[in-house]
Every structure is written in structure tokens, then in C-alpha cells.
Amino acid sequence: MPHCNTILSQLLKIVGRHEFEKIASAHHEGQRLRKTSRWSQFVALAFGQLGGRQSLRDIESNLNAQRQYSYHLGGTPITRSSLARLNSRQPASCYEALFYQLYNRCAKHAPQHGFRFKNPLYALDASLIDLSLKLFPWSHYALGKGAMKLTVGLDLRGHLPAFVTVTESKKADSECAKLLTLPKGGIIVCDRGYNDYGWYKSLTGQGVFYVTRQRSNATYEVIGHRAVPAKSGVISDSVIRYNSLRSRQKQLPDVRQVVYVDADTQKQYTFITNHFKLSAQTIADIYKQRWQVELFFKWIKQNLKIKSFLGTSKNAVMTQIWVAMCVYLLLAYLKFCNKVQASLQHIIRLLALNLFAKRDLIKLIKAEPPPDQQQFVQAALW
């Protein structure tokens, strides 16, 4: 039987150690670390995410209990006091940089988004991460509540978080959107919470397309009509010009308006976009994909640790969120590169039960039985 490192060790090898150390050096503050390292911090936090650990003590005690299997993880065992200190003092930007490096690697193996056009397609939305105002006094939101805002631009090629910002909860959605750098030719779909004429104009100037819903109180004039396909849910396809004071001040270019009735619910929707070449039906279908980012938020809140935190400082909270995003990309990379049919939820549940098992990672997630079980199955067949 071939020798295998632990499942956790095999998974973390996806993160190039040399590249990680370069990132860690670039995002280090203060004196040189002597008794621990950023890699040990990452191993501990990734273990906490995958294993569903509840506290620093929980992480420390479980890693110590598996010390005989942790040789190939690299680094040194980390105490909860050292982990708390690193979480609080060393910049979370280290894991933000690691996240974007992992995304660039993962995107090369991701499947396409399912539409005929080749433009990258992103679904944009934000979700509040509730915090206790008593424990996190810096996170004041409203009515005695605390929260952070997680904004995600989800790449629909593989449903990968391509652009992520973690900001104060009071920051407006449209202001968070302006922090994102979108590629030329990309299409971004978002809800009415991102309505900002200045942002729309900026996207058009950058060669980026948007699809969103029109506000019910918008004032405009119709300056042209486009042909509507027969026997479709499209009621009208027009070119409009906003005539409100704000739109004139922002000098928003003319936009396309598509009015659509959903065949299942009979509900009418009015979309606006700066893309004039795609069919009206495709515009409606693109907006339906916005729901994928809602499903992403639901998944990470159910399967990763971003609802309870290991530290009370802002940097500790952001560190834990960025590590969770990195773990998500590790799972996606594992799935795409090995063409695994199982869902990410199934994969993370398998890993949680086998983190320190010495068996082949790929065979585990592809549901192939261990060698001894294979021999038993073959004997049973004979």
C-alpha cells in the first residue's frame, strides 16, 4: 500500500509554501517572529475552518492531540496565546493577498458559466455578518447591533468569489461596489441596492457591462424601441434616457430597458443595462443568475466559521473571514482540477471526518474505498 500523508497535509500542499512565505514577508509588521510563524497560523485557522472548531483552546487541544500526524504540515505547534496574538496584530491583508493568488489559479480550471457569450459574468451582492456589540464595540451598526459587511463579486464560471471586500456595516452597497476592479468586457449583475448613476457611468467608461433592475420611481424618456421576439416573456425592449437632475449631473449615457414577465410567477420585472447586443431574453436570464451569490452566502455561513469568531479585534475578525474565503477556494480547486462530481458540501464533510487520516485525498473525495476495503469487495465478488 503506498504511503500517504494526512488529508490535511495533502490539501494544504495546494498552497505553494514558497509563495506563501513571500506573501507573509510582504505583509509582516513589527519584529521578526521567533517562536511561531504565519504558516503555523494559517494551518491552525484552516484546521479550525475545516474541522468546525469553536475556540482557540479547541484548535490548540485538537492539534496537540494529533501531533504525531502533523509532521508534514510544516511549521511548529502553536499555542492559543500565540495564535490570538497573531490574529490581533499581524495584518489580515496577508490572507487577502493569498485569496487573490488562489483565485487566479482556481479560475484557470473552472467550468464556463453556461451562456453562449464568452464575457466573464459576475453576480454582485453583500451580506451582513452579525457581531455582538458588547464583544465587538467597534462594529456598531444600528439599534444596538454590531456587524461587518461582506461584499462579493461571484464569478459564475465555477461560482468562485472573484472580488471580495470586508468593510464596516454602515458603508453603502454602492460605495463598496466602487472598491471592486472589474475586467474590461465583464458583465456584472446586481440588485437595485447598487443603483448609482456615477458608478454606472464609470463602468461604461471602463468597458464593463451591468445588468440590474430599474427603480420604480425612476424618471426617464423613451428615445427608441427595439424589436421584441414573438411568444417570449419580453414585453418591451427600449432605449431610454434618464432625465432626473442627478442623472443629468452625472451625465449618464443612454441605457437599454427590458420589461419582462416571468412565466412561472407572472411577475413583471424592468431591467436596465448598457449592453445593447445581447437578446432581451438573455438579459432576463442573466439577472436570474444573481441568485447564485445569495446561495454562496448561505453556503459559507452554513459550512465555514464566519458567524462566531476567535478574537474580538477588527483584524482578528477580518483574518478569520479571509482564511474562510481561502479555504473555499482550496475546496473548489480540488474539485475542478480532479473533476470531482461531489458537491462542495459533501467534500467538506468528508474532509472534516478525515483530516488526520493517512489515505489518498483524491480517492477519498471520489468515494473510492481504502485499499483494505477494496480487497474485501473483490473477495466478496469472488
Side-chain angles (χ1 to χ4, degrees), residues 20 46 79 88 118 155 158 168 178 229 247 251 269 273 380:
F20 180 90
T79 63
S88 177
K118 300 301 181 181
D155 188 343
E168 297 177 357
K178 293 175 183 177
S247 64
Q251 299 179 331
Y269 299 90
T273 179

Side-chain angles (χ1 to χ4, degrees), residues 193-241:
Y194 293 90
N195 187 280
D196 186 295
Y197 295 139
W199 185 51
Y200 292 162
K201 180 185 177 183
S202 175
L203 290 177
T204 303
Q206 298 168 31
V208 177
F209 303 104
Y210 60 85
V211 175
T212 185
R213 289 181 65 187
Q214 188 179 51
R215 285 190 171 180
S216 58
N217 61 351
T219 59
Y220 59 91
E221 59 178 320
V222 178
I223 61 175
H225 294 280
R226 297 162 60 95
V228 175
K231 297 181 180 180
S232 71
V234 180
I235 296 178
S236 68
D237 187 359
S238 312
V239 179
I240 66 172
R241 179 176 298 156

